[in-house]
Amino acid sequence: MSQLNNDELPRIDATDREGVSHALSWEPDQSLMEVLRDNGLPLLASCGGCCSCATCHVHVDPEWLDRLPPRGQDELDLLSETGAFDPVRSRLSCQIPFDASLAGLRVTLAADD
């Protein structure tokens, strides 16, 4: 398997809580949460990606929702307890694995609770 360089990596667009957009490279061994955290966005990610907190909560741009894996019940339960819960757009970024077909994905960090 050949190694991808940064110019070939899928990029995502993440908007932080101040409304600033960040174009980030997404590497094959990362979840979306890891991309956001590793690029310095203020994402607590307390559980480290185990789907046991909601500190990696993002809102996904509506046009991308049908391309993502479905939310599991544990994810939905955690999200529904947050103040920034959006029944349609809310996702835990730790539950979105790398997928090259998600190049261009647009997400916004959910407000802190």
Side-chain angles (χ1 to χ4, degrees):
M1 176 186 273
S2 64
Q3 189 83 353
L4 297 174
N5 67 45
N6 280 343
D7 293 335
E8 297 169 331
L9 292 172
R11 298 189 65 78
I12 62 164
D13 179 35
T15 302
D16 64 28
R17 294 182 185 102
E18 286 74 44
V20 178
S21 181
H22 304 265
L24 307 174
S25 294
W26 193 351
E27 298 182 24
D29 60 343
Q30 294 179 311
S31 67
L32 178 58
M33 179 270 299
E34 292 168 315
V35 174
L36 300 171
R37 181 195 63 200
D38 293 354
N39 281 281
L41 272 70
L43 201 68
L44 191 53
S46 297
C47 74
C50 298
C51 194
S52 62
C53 72
T55 60
C56 67
H57 183 185
V58 296
H59 292 146
V60 177
D61 190 279
E63 75 178 63
W64 290 91
L65 292 170
D66 63 346
R67 301 182 211 184
L68 299 178
R71 289 187 291 209
Q73 190 60 51
D74 289 343
E75 179 180 3
L76 186 56
D77 290 346
L78 288 166
L79 288 166
S80 65
E81 296 175 7
T82 67
F85 177 61
D86 179 311
V88 175
R89 298 177 56 223
S90 285
R91 291 299 306 258
L92 295 181
S93 59
C94 69
Q95 297 303 295
I96 302 174
F98 172 86
D99 185 331
S101 71
L102 295 177
L105 174 68
R106 289 191 304 275
V107 299
T108 301
L109 299 185
D112 278 333
D113 285 335

